[in-house]
Amino acid sequence: MPNPLQSPVGGLDYFLQGLKRLKEPAVLPFIAIPLAINILVFGLLIWWAGQQFSVWVDQAIAWLPDWLSFLHILLWPLFALTIALAVFFTFTLVANFIAAPFNGFLAEKIQRERTPHLLPEDNGWKDLVAIIPRSIAREGQKLVYYLPRALGLLILTFIPVINLAAPFLWALFSAWMMAVQYVDYPADNQQIRFRDMLIQLKSRQRTQLLAFGGIVALFTLIPLINLIVMPAAVIGATLLWIDRQAGQKN
C-alpha cells in the first residue's frame, strides 16, 4: 500500500482516515464535546452570516472605481467566495480555540497508539488538568500568527485590481492555516514549541500539508458535514504528523 505522505492525493487520504475512525467506540468520547461546540458555533455562524453576507459583498464591490463598474456581475461571486472563506475560517479558529483541550486529548490517544515513546509519561488525570491552560495558550499563539496575515489579505481584498487575486490567496492561506491548526495538536503533545513546529512544516513536503488543509477547509464549508470535520481533521493531522516524523528519520 503506498504511503499517503508520498501520494498526490495524500491530503485526502489522511482526512478520510480520520473520518473512518470517528465511529470507533474508543474515539467517540473524545468527539462528543467538540461536536456540541461545533453545532453551537456554526449555528450562530449561519444565522449571523445570513444577516450580514449581502451587506459585506455590496460594501466590497462599492470600492471598485466607476470605470470598472461593468465588472460587478463578474466580481460578485469572487467577493462572495472571499468573504465566505474568511468568515468560515475565522469561526473555525474560534471553535478550535474552545475545543483545543479536547482536540489535544484526541490527538494524544492516536499518538499513544502509534508512537507512545515520543510522548511524556502518562500521569492520568494530572495530564488532563495540565493540558487545558497549555492548549488555550497554544491557541493564542496560533491567533497571533494568523491575525496579521489575515488582516493583510483583508486589506488586499479592498484594493482595486489586486483584489481579483484575493479569493485565491485566501484559499491558499486557509489551506495552510488549517494544516497548521490541526498538526499543532500532536506537536504540542510532544512539547514541541509552536515556532519549531512551523519550521518543521515549512522544511519539506508543503504540498501534502496544503492538500490536507485544503480538504479540511473545503469540508468546513459544507453544512452538516462541517460538524464532524474537527475530530476527523485532528485524527488525520495526527497521523500525518506521525508519518512526517517517521519520514524525517528515514
Side-chain angles (χ1 to χ4, degrees):
M1 179 178 179
N3 184 349
L5 196 64
Q6 305 296 335
S7 169
V9 291
L12 177 60
D13 289 341
Y14 284 108
F15 183 69
L16 291 178
Q17 288 184 58
L19 284 175
K20 290 177 182 178
R21 296 207 57 177
L22 294 183
K23 60 185 179 181
E24 296 179 9
V27 171
L28 288 176
F30 297 90
I31 298 174
I33 295 179
L35 180 59
I37 293 172
N38 260 340
I39 292 173
L40 176 62
V41 171
F42 281 105
L44 291 173
L45 165 65
I46 292 172
W47 174 80
W48 183 59
Q51 300 292 320
Q52 301 295 327
F53 190 77
S54 295
V55 175
W56 291 332
V57 175
D58 290 340
Q59 289 176 344
I61 292 179
W63 281 71
L64 287 173
D66 293 338
W67 61 275
L68 286 177
S69 59
F70 67 95
L71 293 177
H72 283 193
I73 296 178
L74 296 176
L75 294 180
W76 199 96
L78 290 177
F79 285 120
L81 177 59
T82 298
I83 292 172
L85 286 172
V87 170
F88 273 87
F89 185 66
T90 300
F91 270 80
T92 298
L93 280 179
V94 173
N96 280 321
F97 194 97
I98 299 171
F102 307 102
N103 291 338
F105 300 155
L106 178 56
E108 182 177 346
K109 172 177 174 51
I110 304 302
Q111 287 172 284
R112 291 205 179 276
E113 292 176 359
R114 297 275 300 271
T115 56
H117 59 286
L118 295 179
L119 296 177
E121 182 181 355
D122 187 0
N123 294 312
W125 66 269
K126 293 182 180 180
D127 287 343
L128 300 183
V129 174
I131 198 175
I132 295 176
R134 193 184 79 221
S135 296
I136 294 176
R138 190 80 165 202
E139 291 301 311
Q141 290 181 283
K142 295 177 196 175
L143 282 177
V144 170
Y145 178 80
Y146 163 75
L147 288 175
R149 291 162 176 81
L151 179 60
L153 282 177
L154 187 61
I155 292 173
L156 288 179
T157 302
F158 294 100
I159 300 178
V161 182
I162 295 177
N163 55 19
L164 296 177
F168 308 102
L169 294 176
W170 269 109
L172 187 63
F173 178 60
S174 297
W176 172 251
M177 279 304 305
M178 283 295 185
V180 169
Q181 175 68 44
Y182 289 106
V183 169
D184 185 56
Y185 292 119
D188 185 35
N189 287 339
Q190 292 177 215
Q191 299 182 0
I192 297 174
R193 294 187 305 172
F194 182 71
R195 182 168 53 183
D196 294 336
M197 185 268 298
L198 287 176
I199 293 174
Q200 289 191 38
L201 295 186
K202 293 176 181 178
S203 65
R204 57 197 292 268
Q205 296 172 321
R206 296 190 195 183
T207 302
Q208 297 298 334
L209 289 169
L210 290 173
F212 174 79
I215 290 296
V216 174
L218 177 62
F219 276 81
T220 300
L221 296 173
I222 303 175
L224 298 182
I225 293 179
N226 57 20
L227 298 177
I228 60 172
V229 166
M230 184 186 295
V234 171
I235 296 172
T238 302
L239 296 172
L240 174 58
W241 173 257
I242 291 171
D243 285 350
R244 284 176 65 88
Q245 288 194 307
Q248 288 175 348
K249 295 178 181 179
N250 294 333

